Amino acid sequence: MAIWKDPTQPKKDTALFPQAEPSPAAAPINPTRNETASAAMSANPESISPVRAVPASSPAMKESVIASDLTIEGKIQGAGHVRIAGRFKGDVDVKGDLTVEQGAKLDGSVKADKVIVAGELDGNIHSANRVELLATCAMNGDIKADTLTVASGSRLRGRVECGNWDNAPAKRDNNSDDATKREANSTSV
C-alpha cells in the first residue's frame, strides 16, 4: 500500500476562493474587536457608525445522565443538569436541574435549583427553587422549596416547607389587633 500526497488538494495556507472585497452580508454576526476596528478603518468616513457591544451569550448547561441499566454509589457535585434513569445511592448537590426518571431510584439528599421526580426518591430535598412531583413519584423524605407542584397520584411521606420564608412579611400580632378592635368598639358606643 502506498501513501502519497494528492497534488490537487490545496495547502492549508491557500484560500479556497479568490480574495474579494467582503460584502456587508458576508460580515460576521459577532465580530471580534479587531475585525470591527479594521472594518471601520477601511470603510468610507461617511458610513462609519458607532460600534455597539454584543453581549456574550452564556453557555448552555450540559446534562449528565445515569442510564437506566446503571447502578452508581457516590456523590454528585457541580454545575449542570443531572438526569437519573438508573439507580444512584448518595447525595446530589448541583447548580442546575435534577430529574429522577420513572423507574429510577435515588437514595440520598438533594440540593438543586429545580427537582423533578417521576421515580423513587428516598431522602430530603433541601433549598430547591422548584420541586415537581409527577404522578409516578414515590418520595420518602422532607422537602424545603420555594415552589412545590404535586401531581395527582404521586406519593409523599415527609414534612414540607414551601414558600420563600426569608422574604415573608412579618407576622401580625393578634393581641394588638384584638386590643384595637376592643378600643374601636368601646369608643363607638
Side-chain angles (χ1 to χ4, degrees):
M1 175 180 216
I3 300 177
W4 70 89
K5 187 173 181 182
D6 188 6
T8 60
Q9 292 292 332
K11 294 181 184 177
K12 288 183 181 177
D13 293 14
T14 61
L16 295 176
F17 301 103
Q19 294 294 330
E21 286 293 319
S23 68
I29 295 172
N30 293 328
T32 63
R33 183 179 179 141
N34 291 341
E35 290 172 347
T36 306
S38 65
M41 284 187 248
S42 66
N44 294 334
E46 293 118 20
S47 66
I48 295 177
S49 62
V51 178
R52 63 187 156 110
V54 178
S57 61
S58 63
M61 291 184 127
K62 296 190 177 187
E63 183 177 61
S64 300
V65 178
I66 297 177
S68 61
D69 56 347
L70 290 177
T71 300
I72 297 177
E73 187 173 333
K75 186 175 186 178
I76 298 174
Q77 278 185 305
H81 306 302
V82 176
R83 180 176 302 270
I84 299 174
R87 301 198 182 292
F88 181 76
K89 185 174 184 179
D91 297 338
V92 178
D93 183 1
V94 293
K95 288 182 171 63
D97 301 346
L98 170 70
T99 303
V100 180
E101 296 280 330
Q102 183 177 354
K105 180 165 179 150
L106 170 62
D107 289 318
S109 66
V110 173
K111 188 174 182 183
D113 295 335
K114 180 179 176 185
V115 180
I116 300 173
V117 183
E120 294 180 47
L121 174 59
D122 197 8
N124 299 331
I125 298 175
H126 305 280
S127 66
N129 291 329
R130 181 180 177 98
V131 175
E132 293 180 27
L133 304 180
L134 303 182
T136 56
C137 166
M139 182 174 169
N140 186 19
D142 299 340
I143 298 174
K144 185 175 182 182
D146 290 341
T147 305
L148 174 65
T149 304
V150 181
S152 175
S154 62
R155 295 174 291 157
L156 170 65
R157 178 180 291 145
R159 291 183 38 216
V160 175
E161 288 183 42
C162 224
N164 190 347
W165 289 90
D166 296 333
N167 296 331
K171 286 186 177 181
R172 293 174 37 184
D173 187 11
N174 289 337
N175 295 334
S176 65
D177 286 346
D178 291 339
T180 306
K181 287 178 187 174
R182 275 185 258 132
E183 257 183 56
N185 287 337
S186 64
T187 56
S188 64
V189 174

